Amino acid sequence: MRTRMLALTSAACGAALLGAAALPASATGPGPAPGREPETATAATAAELLAEVGACTRISKGGYRTDSGSAKATVPVCGTEDAVFWKADMDIDCDGRKTKACNTKTDPYFQPETAFQSSRGEPLDSAALPYVVVPGPSKVWDYRKSGLTGGSVVAVVYRDRVRYGVIGDTGPTNIIGEASYAMAKALGIDPDPSTGGAASGVTYIAFKNSRVSPIESRARAQSRGAALAREFVGRS
């Protein structure tokens, strides 16, 4: 990402969408073409999910900035009985495993680690694994106290698209609104770590106590995410 990398927390403080059929070794399970998800008649729609998060019961002690240069911290973290959500922009996290898409040449702030690791003990592959970045624990909000951890399932909504992934990395303690290269690509957002991202209009819904294992299993996150989303909108 463009404005946050220098402030990222260490990996020591520590995805899962269907992608291309041919994937690096760190991604598991078959998948359709990039950015495409299997649709079913019972799938929760973007409109249904957005309706459930229309009102905010704030659980953060204050708000977050969307970028390091933002003038004000205006984004709260909100909570329901089953989920935590926030509405922000999307900056691109290209950290972790070095790939053709994510490396020091494509991303000037590239870091070879992610806060959470694969089942092999390796950094996550942000180019192949859709995941969301949460702010590092602080007095504003500590994701761990909200039933979240690495591998927790997340639904991300952008326009009329819903995509599922996991929490895969942590970022600065005062900034929110970031996801992996693969998550952005799946949502139709420009995934370029230097020039891409979305300025606004992205909703992140993290389901409490929903950790999938292994964290890199795209199929498990997709399946669990779809089921949790249906329950969330009352269509289980």
Side-chain angles (χ1 to χ4, degrees):
M1 58 148 236
R2 301 182 299 281
T3 60
R4 302 184 186 182
M5 288 304 185
L6 294 180
L8 281 177
T9 56
S10 168
C13 74
L17 266 176
L18 297 175
L23 291 171
S26 63
T28 61
R36 298 295 301 276
E37 289 297 320
E39 300 293 341
T40 68
T42 59
T45 66
E48 287 176 317
L49 287 168
L50 292 177
E52 291 297 318
V53 297
C56 174
T57 298
R58 192 174 71 182
I59 62 173
S60 60
K61 297 178 180 178
Y64 286 93
R65 291 177 169 81
T66 56
D67 293 290
S68 61
S70 299
K72 296 181 179 180
T74 59
V75 180
V77 175
C78 312
T80 71
E81 182 178 350
D82 301 312
V84 170
F85 67 92
W86 57 95
K87 303 175 182 182
D89 64 344
M90 180 181 286
D91 287 335
I92 309 303
D93 186 355
C94 219
D95 289 346
R97 181 178 176 182
K98 185 177 180 180
T99 62
K100 182 178 180 180
C102 294
N103 55 68
T104 55
K105 292 183 179 180
T106 60
D107 182 0
Y109 301 115
F110 175 80
Q111 299 289 324
E113 300 291 338
T114 49
F116 304 104
Q117 298 181 324
S118 74
S119 59
R120 301 180 181 87
E122 301 171 343
L124 299 181
D125 184 346
S126 58
L129 302 175
Y131 65 73
V132 165
V133 180
V134 293
S138 72
K139 63 181 181 180
V140 176
W141 178 56
D142 185 341
Y143 65 89
R144 301 171 299 185
K145 296 180 179 179
S146 294
L148 304 177
T149 188
S152 291
V153 178
V154 180
V156 184
V157 183
Y158 181 67
R159 295 179 177 172
D160 62 347
R161 294 190 179 188
V162 181
R163 297 295 182 258
Y164 301 102
V166 295
I167 291 176
D169 203 359
T170 59
T173 58
N174 63 339
I175 297 174
I176 204 166
E178 184 178 5
S180 69
Y181 181 105
M183 178 63 84
K185 187 174 182 181
L187 286 164
I189 295 172
D190 181 359
D192 188 290
S194 295
T195 61
S200 62
V202 184
T203 300
Y204 304 80
I205 305 170
F207 298 104
K208 299 177 180 180
N209 305 309
S210 63
R211 181 176 179 270
V212 294
S213 181
I215 191 173
E216 68 269 21
S217 175
R218 299 168 295 118
R220 291 186 183 184
Q222 166 64 29
S223 176
R224 186 77 187 281
L228 288 168
R230 287 193 297 270
E231 292 177 8
F232 192 62
V233 302
R235 293 211 286 115
S236 58

